[in-house]
């Protein structure tokens, strides 16, 4: 019948439409990143800058930077991890602009672990601009807070950063912050870019540490240098640098035993490791990364202070930035010591270590849902 024929034609037309749509999506999924939708030069440059690891040959890293879709995924995940902090910081977003609101802003900044000193400086700026009628709405207030937080995150000039081969990185931190896991994730990132990576197992006092590092090295397709249990950590570090030179490695990452930053003898031992590295390669280590656990709050600030005084830290990697952490600690540390945040860990997966993007981070911290 005619109505049935028309109905079948509509079904067939709908079926062909969905078939074409499915085939188109399938082709898009198979399209390599280099054929992704093009963006403007400014957008592309900003994207590459935010995702390229700054420590290693930055030009090559930028060429393999992920597309904007990946950046959006990171932003979404970061917003989820910073939900606890953002809830406090965005609670005043629809309030009337008055003294009560400013007090609420001050309280939310402090409870987000941004730190009392940093908070007081920001509040002085806000109060002055409100009194001068520069800020006249909560929207302007929120934008100004975002700008003030951005100002307190150090910006690196990557164009002036020299490139070494091998690039030697010493990784330090207290027990339990995730040094071994972070080293594995770093190694995986660089080997996936085609770089040759060697890991030095200088945490010789904890038997499980070497085995754990070996597993990560295997997973990341990186070489590893290890000695017997209770060997001299400085000797392992020396041999790692020597192996990196002889094997023409791009990167050498040296693990160290977790140590309490308040124990002077342990801090002296890590200085010995650094001197041992310099004997083989005078300008090394080229970077000293401090791993901090975001869930420890203001205690992370005291760790950063003592490690920085002893070793002159060149970069911080913040781990365990999950729903229980208050993300403002990033701004507190960066503002206090002027040490760049290199990476943030926002999950347990091998792909959950990301180059720190200040603008992305502050937006995730401030922007409401």
């Amino acid at each position: 019948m005619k109505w049935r024929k028309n109905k079948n034609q509509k079904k067939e037309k709908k079926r062909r439409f969905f078939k074409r749509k499915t085939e188109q999506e399938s082709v898009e999924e198979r399209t390599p990143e280099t054929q992704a939708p093009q963006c403007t030069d400014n957008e592309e440059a900003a994207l590459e800058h935010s995702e390229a690891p700054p420590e290693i040959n930055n030009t090559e890293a930028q060429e393999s930077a992920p597309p904007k879709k990946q950046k959006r995924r990171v932003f979404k995940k970061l917003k989820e991890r910073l939900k606890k902090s953002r809830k406090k910081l965005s609670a005043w977003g629809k309030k009337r602009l008055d003294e009560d609101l400013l007090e609420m802003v001050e309280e939310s900044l402090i409870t987000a672990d941004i730190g009392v000193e940093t908070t007081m400086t920001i509040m002085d700026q806000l109060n002055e601009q409100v009194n001068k009628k520069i800020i006249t709405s909560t929207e302007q207030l929120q934008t100004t807070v975002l700008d003030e937080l951005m100002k307190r995150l150090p910006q690196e000039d990557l164009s002036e950063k020299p490139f070494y081969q091998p690039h030697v990185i010493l990784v330090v931190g207290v027990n339990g912050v995730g040094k071994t896991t972070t080293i594995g994730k770093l190694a995986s990132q660089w080997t996936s870019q085609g770089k040759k990576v060697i890991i030095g197992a200088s945490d010789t006092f904890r038997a499980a540490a070497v085995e754990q590092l070996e597993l990560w090295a295997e997973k990341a397709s990186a070489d590893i240098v290890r000695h017997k249990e209770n060997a001299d950590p400085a000797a392992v570090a020396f041999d790692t640098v020597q192996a990196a030179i002889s094997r023409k490695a791009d990167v050498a990452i040296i693990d160290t035993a977790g140590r309490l930053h308040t124990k002077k003898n342990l801090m002296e031992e890590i200085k010995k490791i650094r001197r041992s590295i310099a004997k083989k390669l005078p300008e090394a280590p080229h970077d000293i990364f401090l791993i901090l656990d975001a869930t420890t709050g203001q205690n992370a600030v005291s760790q950063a202070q003592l490690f920085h005084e002893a070793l002159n830290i060149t970069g911080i990697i913040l781990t365990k930035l999950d729903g229980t952490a208050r993300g403002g600690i990033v701004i507190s540390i960066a503002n206090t010591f002027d040490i760049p945040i290199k990476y943030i860990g926002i999950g347990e997966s091998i792909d959950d270590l990301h180059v720190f993007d200040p603008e992305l981070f502050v937006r995730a911290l401030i922007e409401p849902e």
Side-chain angles (χ1 to χ4, degrees):
M1 297 174 66
K2 189 174 181 180
W3 66 269
R4 185 172 294 174
K5 184 178 179 182
N6 290 339
K7 188 175 181 182
N8 289 337
Q9 286 176 344
K10 286 181 181 179
K11 281 185 178 180
E12 178 63 20
K13 187 176 180 181
K14 190 173 182 181
R15 187 187 67 79
R16 288 199 302 270
F17 170 77
F18 281 109
K19 184 179 179 182
R20 287 198 306 271
K21 185 174 178 63
T22 305
E23 288 173 350
Q24 184 179 358
E25 288 174 350
S26 178
V27 169
E28 288 176 354
E29 286 177 3
R30 293 194 300 269
T31 302
E33 292 180 359
T34 53
Q35 298 178 7
Q38 293 188 358
C39 53
T40 64
D41 291 342
N42 290 338
E43 288 174 333
E44 194 172 272
L47 177 61
E48 289 175 349
H49 175 77
S50 66
E51 293 295 337
E55 300 78 28
I56 312 301
N57 199 335
N58 201 48
T59 304
E60 292 181 15
Q62 287 178 351
E63 291 174 358
S64 61
K68 289 202 295 185
K69 188 180 289 186
Q70 169 68 10
K71 190 173 182 178
R72 286 195 295 270
R73 283 199 294 266
V74 173
F75 180 63
K76 184 178 179 181
K77 196 165 189 178
L78 195 54
K79 284 194 78 169
E80 178 63 28
R81 294 295 187 270
L82 295 174
K83 184 184 291 185
K84 185 175 180 180
S85 297
R86 188 174 59 260
K87 189 176 180 181
K88 294 178 181 296
L89 290 169
S90 61
W92 39 268
K94 296 181 181 179
K95 302 285 183 181
R96 190 176 66 179
L97 185 59
D98 55 18
E99 286 188 13
D100 290 340
L101 175 59
L102 289 171
E103 286 182 9
M104 186 183 293
V105 172
E106 181 179 330
E107 182 184 348
S108 63
L109 290 173
I110 291 173
T111 54
D113 259 343
I114 286 172
V116 175
E117 186 179 343
T118 305
T119 298
M120 292 301 102
T121 306
I122 292 173
M123 291 310 302
D124 288 343
Q125 294 289 329
L126 295 179
N127 279 300
E128 183 181 348
Q129 292 187 48
V130 169
N131 291 334
K132 291 181 178 179
K133 305 297 183 183
I134 299 171
I135 297 175
T136 57
S137 67
T138 53
E139 289 79 10
Q140 289 178 327
L141 180 68
Q142 197 163 25
T143 301
T144 306
V145 171
L146 191 148
D147 291 341
E148 289 295 326
L149 294 178
M150 279 290 296
K151 287 179 189 175
R152 284 155 177 81
L153 290 170
Q155 304 290 325
E156 281 192 289
D157 186 355
L158 302 178
S159 62
E160 295 183 0
K161 193 172 180 66
F163 170 66
Y164 300 95
Q165 188 174 10
H167 193 98
V168 181
I169 300 169
L170 186 64
V171 179
V172 301
V174 302
N175 291 303
V177 294
K179 287 192 306 303
T180 306
T181 303
T182 301
I183 288 170
K185 291 177 180 181
L186 283 173
S188 178
Q189 283 193 14
W190 291 325
T191 56
S192 68
Q193 295 172 15
K195 301 185 186 301
K196 186 174 179 61
V197 179
I198 291 182
I199 300 173
S202 282
D203 183 359
T204 57
F205 299 113
R206 185 169 67 92
V210 178
E211 280 71 21
Q212 187 182 4
L213 205 57
E214 281 186 314
L215 290 173
W216 273 109
E218 184 179 350
K219 191 182 295 187
S221 301
D223 293 344
I224 187 167
V225 174
R226 58 165 296 178
H227 286 191
K228 293 180 180 179
E229 192 175 340
N230 295 324
D232 182 6
V236 179
F238 182 90
D239 288 350
T240 302
V241 176
Q242 184 171 318
I245 295 169
S246 63
R247 300 177 198 177
K248 297 182 179 178
D250 297 295
V251 192
I253 313 174
I254 299 170
D255 188 18
T256 59
R259 61 202 65 236
L260 291 173
H261 50 295
T262 53
K263 296 293 184 182
K264 187 176 180 180
N265 60 326
L266 292 175
M267 294 302 282
E268 288 300 321
E269 182 187 74
I270 207 165
K271 291 179 185 178
K272 179 185 173 185
I273 294 174
R274 186 176 62 178
R275 289 193 299 270
S276 177
I277 293 169
K279 284 180 182 177
K280 188 63 188 175
L281 204 60
E283 66 272 19
H286 307 111
D287 274 309
I288 302 177
F289 287 171
L290 172 62
I291 313 296
L292 294 175
D293 180 345
T295 62
T296 59
Q298 288 298 311
N299 186 42
V301 177
S302 63
Q303 291 175 31
Q305 180 179 351
L306 293 173
F307 273 104
H308 191 44
E309 287 173 357
L311 299 167
N312 192 24
I313 301 299
T314 63
I316 288 171
I317 300 177
L318 205 66
T319 62
K320 306 181 184 180
L321 198 63
D322 54 26
T324 63
R326 289 175 288 191
I329 192 63
V330 171
I331 289 131
S332 181
I333 291 168
N335 185 57
T336 304
F337 304 106
D338 198 31
I339 303 172
I341 310 294
K342 298 286 190 177
Y343 295 87
I344 51 172
I346 56 176
E348 295 300 321
S349 168
I350 196 168
D351 299 321
D352 282 335
L353 185 72
H354 298 280
V355 175
F356 180 66
D357 182 330
E359 183 181 358
L360 211 65
F361 182 85
V362 174
R363 281 179 52 211
L365 191 63
I366 292 288
E367 283 184 6
E369 298 297 338

